[in-house]
């Protein structure tokens, strides 16, 4: 079991005594950071130049700061009410002030959007990485201390821990840490118990023995970072309405961070609860209706790196109700329509046809019992199954008579433990955290918080299982700029300054091309305005790329849907011109024609020249 400390000072003392004077501190992104622990390491290094501190992290969050006295007087009361006693990160304040000591280095792989554009040191130390590569990169850069907030509860006298909001990278790090330790490398894992962090299930549940040190004292209670949802503009709703028509019933949903993701959730709620109003709005926007769409009768399954606030609304509305199970044979049968969540004795023969061995082994039996195929009061030993009445039966599915006997005496009635949403981290308003804390455990267990290695990619020993779970997937994300040839820019300005980060966007787009029936949907506001000047977000070319043009798929603006999959360059240009703002269409078309990429006599259709 971990060594438990009542103060952060004692924990940091023990860490320095064990690890030495060069600390490479890995911290989760967002609210999983143990701010007070990070601050103590920072203060020790700031006071002692012989200590070297490298911080590896992402999404270091700060309270909103006003510019100017009037703005400050308006903003400060709101900030105090919303963020209360949330402790600022010392390294963030120092970095923004340009006062980081020379023995302290901060490396981030994802920025709070726009917050670090003017900070040279942060830009120079940005680590460009797919989210799924972060665990690898942490270890490659010498991480020797991993620290994060954890949630704690006690059940029947047993202490249980959860990674709560941030199993994302830590879950993927754990096996790599074990391998590194076996090879003789010392990596220390610190958990800081936080009483307000929701206790999440699935992959987030972690054996306390995994931690070396645990900090647990009520004095370290404080408000979690809780940004309010930003207001949605008409243009956001216009884009989201079109996205809502692209999500098939019975499919899989991923939603990215930000207002457009929020609006997409709202569109799905409108489609499900007010179908007539939803259709009327689409037709008024010139979408042409959505004959194949309507209320969600089968429901959706969510597989999204971020559990967004709106997903709880989708759960409550009955939209997120397609469950997936950690059993390949069961998912094969569900995908084929051979079984439903309620079943009869025929499931045992179907399992044979789905690849289950005739004679069940202990692991397969345990998997099927967890999923409800066998009753919870049955057990297995040495090739036999004990019935609830205590009778032992051969675990032989190949014998028709034995299948009938097992069905009569051992079979459940419906599948259990289904997951409606897999996610890797969450961040949201205070009310969102309260909803998670207050949800009945049975409902909360339908959300499996796990690592990005599972959510953001298909690779792994369970490749077929992931594919079956993610049927008809729609991966919905946001871009800043799209070129006429279909490349997307989502994280970096043309001069190389990073706005946010790649995160998982590339992962989801490439996954959409690998999964049968999947599509990647990039939402794009057609224009942006700065200092009274309006510019087009559809451009001919750009100096940076997040998603290369050979992975182009679907782009949605407030003016329509551009389906770019399997399109030639000329077709791609024409379809993107159709959804660009009409003030910029002539110049864009002329540039493409001058480059010889679209016919000289091509004309934008009349109906598409009123995108205003």
């Amino acid at each position: 079991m971990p060594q438990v400390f009542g103060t952060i000072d004692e924990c940091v003392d023990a860490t320095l005594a064990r690890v030495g004077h060069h600390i490479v501190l890995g911290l989760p992104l967002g609210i999983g950071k143990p701010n007070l622990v990070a601050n103590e390491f920072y203060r020790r290094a700031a006071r002692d130049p012989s200590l070297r501190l490298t911080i590896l992290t992402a999404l270091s969050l700060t309270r909103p700061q006003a510019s100017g006295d009037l703005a400050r007087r308006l903003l400060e009361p709101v900030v105090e009410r919303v963020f209360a006693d949330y402790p600022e990160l010392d390294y963030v304040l120092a970095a923004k002030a340009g006062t980081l000591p020379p023995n302290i280095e901060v490396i981030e792989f994802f920025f709070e959007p726009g917050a670090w554009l003017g900070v040279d040191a942060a830009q120079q130390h940005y680590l460009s990485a797919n989210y799924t590569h972060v665990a690898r990169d942490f270890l490659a850069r010498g991480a020797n201390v991993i620290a994060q907030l954890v949630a704690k509860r006690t059940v029947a006298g047993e202490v249980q821990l959860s990674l709560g909001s941030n199993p994302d990278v830590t879950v993927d790090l754990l096996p790599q840490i074990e391998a590194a330790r076996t090879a003789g490398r010392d990596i220390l894992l610190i958990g800081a118990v936080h009483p307000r962090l929701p206790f999440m299930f699935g992959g987030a549940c972690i054996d306390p023995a995994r931690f070396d040190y645990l900090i647990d004292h009520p004095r370290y209670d404080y408000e979690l970072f809780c940004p309010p949802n930003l207001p949605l503009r008409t243009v956001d709703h216009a884009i989201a309405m079109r996205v809502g028509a692209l999500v098939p019933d019975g499919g899989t949903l991923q939603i990215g961070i930000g207002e457009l993701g929020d609006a997409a959730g709202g569109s799905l709620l409108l489609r499900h609860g007010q179908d007539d109003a939803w259709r009327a709005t689409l037709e008024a926007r010139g979408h042409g209706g959505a004959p194949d769409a309507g209320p969600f009768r089968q429901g959706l399954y969510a597989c999204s790196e971020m559990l967004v606030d709106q997903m709880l609304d989708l759960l409550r509305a009955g939209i997120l109700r397609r469950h997936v199970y950690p059993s390949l044979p069961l998912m094969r049968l569900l995908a084929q329509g051979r079984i439903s969540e309620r079943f009869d004795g025929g499931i045992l023969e179907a399992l044979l046809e789905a690849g289950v061995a005739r004679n069940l082994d202990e692991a397969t039996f345990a998997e099927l019992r967890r999923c409800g195929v066998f009753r919870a009061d049955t057990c297995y030993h040495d090739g036999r199954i004990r019935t609830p009445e205590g009778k032992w039966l051969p675990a032989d599915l190949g014998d028709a008579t034995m299948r009938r006997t097992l069905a009569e005496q051992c079979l459940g009635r419906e599948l259990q433990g289904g997951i409606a949403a897999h996610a890797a981290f969450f961040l949201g308003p205070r009310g969102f955290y309260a909803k998670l804390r207050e949800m009945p455990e049975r409902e909360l267990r339908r959300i499996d918080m796990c690592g990005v290695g599972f959510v953001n990619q298909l690779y792994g020993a369970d490749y077929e299982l992931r594919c079956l779970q993610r049927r008809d997937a729609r991966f919905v994300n946001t871009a800043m700029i799209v070129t006429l040839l279909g490349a997307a820019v989502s994280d970096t300005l043309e001069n190389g300054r990073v706005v946010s980060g790649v995160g998982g966007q590339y992962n989801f787009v490439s996954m959409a091309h690998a999964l049968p029936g999947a599509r990647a949907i990039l939402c794009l506001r057609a224009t942006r305005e700065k200092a009274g000047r309006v510019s087009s977000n559809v451009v001919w070319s750009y100096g940076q790329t997040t998603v290369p043009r050979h992975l182009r798929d679907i782009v949605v603006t407030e003016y329509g849907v551009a389906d770019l999959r399997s399109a030639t360059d000329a077709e791609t240009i024409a379809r993107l011109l159709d959804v660009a703002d009409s003030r910029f269409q002539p110049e864009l078309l002329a540039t493409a024609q001058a480059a010889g990429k679209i016919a000289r006599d091509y004309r934008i259709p009349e109906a598409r020249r009123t995108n205003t």
Side-chain angles (χ1 to χ4, degrees), residues 88 103 142 151 251 267 352 356 369 391 398 510:
E88 293 279 24
N103 59 323
S267 174
L352 279 173
V356 171
R369 187 176 65 176
K391 183 180 179 181
S510 60

Side-chain angles (χ1 to χ4, degrees), residues 38-50:
N39 286 350
E40 185 57 29
F41 276 108
Y42 174 86
R43 289 164 190 160
R44 298 289 184 97
R47 289 197 304 261
D48 183 357
S50 70

Side-chain angles (χ1 to χ4, degrees), residues 30 35 54 63 67 115 140 156 167 204 258 293 378 400 429 465 476-477 479 528 569 607:
N35 288 19
T54 299
R63 295 175 177 223
S67 57
T378 60
L465 178 63
V476 183
N477 290 283
R528 66 187 181 278
D569 279 358

